[in-house]
Amino acid sequence: MLRSKFVLIALILVCVLSFATFKDIAGSPYSAAIEKLHASGIVEAFDGYFYPAEALSRADAAEWIVKTFKLSTIHSMKIEEEVEKKFVYTDPLGVIDEAFVVPSAKDIVDSEGEEYIEGLIKVRAEEVVNGEYRPFEPITAAEFGLAVAKVLFGVDEPLDYEAKLRELVYAPAELLSLDRPLRREEAAQILSNFVENPDFTIITILATADIHGHIEPYFPSGAKYPVGAVEKMAFFVNTERAMQPNLLLLDVGDAPYNTNVANLFEGEPVIKIMNMMGYDAMVLGNHDFDFPFNVMERNSQLANFPFLGANTLYLGESPYFLEPYIIKEIAGLKIAIVGLTDDSSAWYTHPRNVAGITFEEQYSAAQRVLDEVSPQVDLVFALAHLHGGNRVLPIKVSGYDLIFEGGRDVVAFPEKINGSWVISSGKHAELISKTNLNIYRGEVIGINFAHVFMSQNLPQDEAVVEVVESYVSQLDDRLGTVIGRTEVDLDGERGTVRLKESNLANAIADSLREMTGTDFAIQNGGGVRASVPAGDITIKDAYTVLPFDNLVVAVKATGKQIWDILEHGISAYPAAAGQFLQVSGLEYTFDASKPPYERLISVTSNGVPLDLEKTYTLTANDFLTGGGDKFTMFLEMEKTIVTKSFLRDAFAEYVERHGTIAPVNEGRIVIINPAN
């Protein structure tokens, strides 16, 4: 009988050993932790060995931390040029170029585990010193503990990381502060505290903002390599979902329109692709009103996700196809997602598109909805397309946990304002922002954050590629016709048309005056959206430069009214405001050092001062004459010509008529004391 028991025990041991992953961890006090990490796919076996007592390398530390806390792997782009690494830009005129996607350190290029090291650097849990990361050097216990703590609790607030980490980690008390190489088994023990722990979970929020119809890659001004494209975004989202089921995908407005392919099909391509990506919600931005209300309604029916608009009203009521908020349950937590739209959005689109639409004051709406949903949920997020108001919102209305901002067009790190985290998500499909909420026993103990840039070296979702190519081919069939040539580069960059004279905008303004035969013409800088290189000009170029469906309109205006129009146009300078006016038949000079509405020094036509008492004819577009960009003085003027031609039609006809153009800057706009 005794012999039988020994045989049984021996058989059990054989079975246990046969299923053991590692040959060398039986004597480790942390063997259970090692096995737990292996079962979760965090650590690997090397020919059956773990090497528990060996020092953990910095590269392996990065891989283990990234996998444990569901951070993203970041695949940098290798280029021949040497550029200084960048992570953010806070100027709305900024763009993502190659400096944002090159390797973060010289000594990790093409090394094993590079993508994990980049992932840890991306959330700012590790730093690069003198251009080096030292991937194969041992990491100390203190360094490892600090990196884990930064991932858990975030890096944007001053914290006692060691003290906070000790509250969560079961490990020898002195381990987290030791300045000696950390053994692999010890690292496994630390991380095992967060693996398959019912008290700990991670919620991931992926967010996009201000896509503006950019479903194709494009070259930002000054960049040598293309960025963006929804097919890369789709691949990234699918990869994240495979790793992290507790995930939300949100858009912060201005997604469907504003490129040729998006406008020609009235936003349909963007909405279809967003369906394929599995968005959970989208808020209305001001440019979501660039088409008539029935187009928005149709797109909302096409979408497999809700359109949010807590303060958008139609005929005084909330439209049936808009939700003020939704509630999602993720990892046992209830999360309310509230949609807020800039309450001045009606000023920034065509009046016909917002007929019958009004907006509740944005901050009072934010407070009203917060009061309603807070008792029902654990967390409240805002999708806030409020432009500069995004950062005012947490000051006026406290209680939103996360505020995803739209309309600011910046790539900034999160900032905590009055208890709310304000999150930026870039523009033009150049990136997806990733925010991880680390939850312990139902409470958020910290966040980590990354901008994941869509560089050309990233994989793409082939199903989305097919959809994009289908729409683009239909577009190209219509728009590939050559209509003329330009002998010079036509400068339509945002930093030009909204701040100073532009040779392209000069030609556009001239085309308006030629079409109508008026004394003068003006073109708002915000309506000019792209440059054209020297060479052939196609219909597609005209659509790219002037994507909005604004009609050519002429009015009667006194010299005083024209003076006031120009004063308003420069009132926001040096901010790159869309109301900045380019002119034809006029020259104007202003002093930027003077207060707004006191800046104009002179307005002339061919050197002759404008007669403030005389009535002139002036061509503009129906966005401006309808009071857009707060040009309310137009509402009092008599319209003499209302064409059926869009701005791009006038420009295309001008190019065809002239055949070859070579516009230059002629001193139509002179700035004294310029800001740049």
Side-chain angles (χ1 to χ4, degrees), residues 615-629:
T615 297
Y616 299 92
T617 53
L618 173 70
T619 302
N621 59 66
D622 60 352
F623 168 68
L624 295 177
T625 61
D629 271 340

Side-chain angles (χ1 to χ4, degrees), residues 395-409:
I395 297 173
K396 287 184 173 287
V397 183
S398 62
Y400 283 92
D401 296 285
L402 297 181
I403 297 172
F404 294 91
E405 62 171 347
R408 273 190 74 218
D409 294 349

Side-chain angles (χ1 to χ4, degrees), residues 27-49:
S28 171
Y30 308 117
S31 58
I34 296 168
E35 288 287 6
K36 183 189 288 189
L37 263 60
H38 180 267
S40 299
I42 295 168
V43 302
E44 300 175 1
F46 301 96
D47 296 325
Y49 293 91

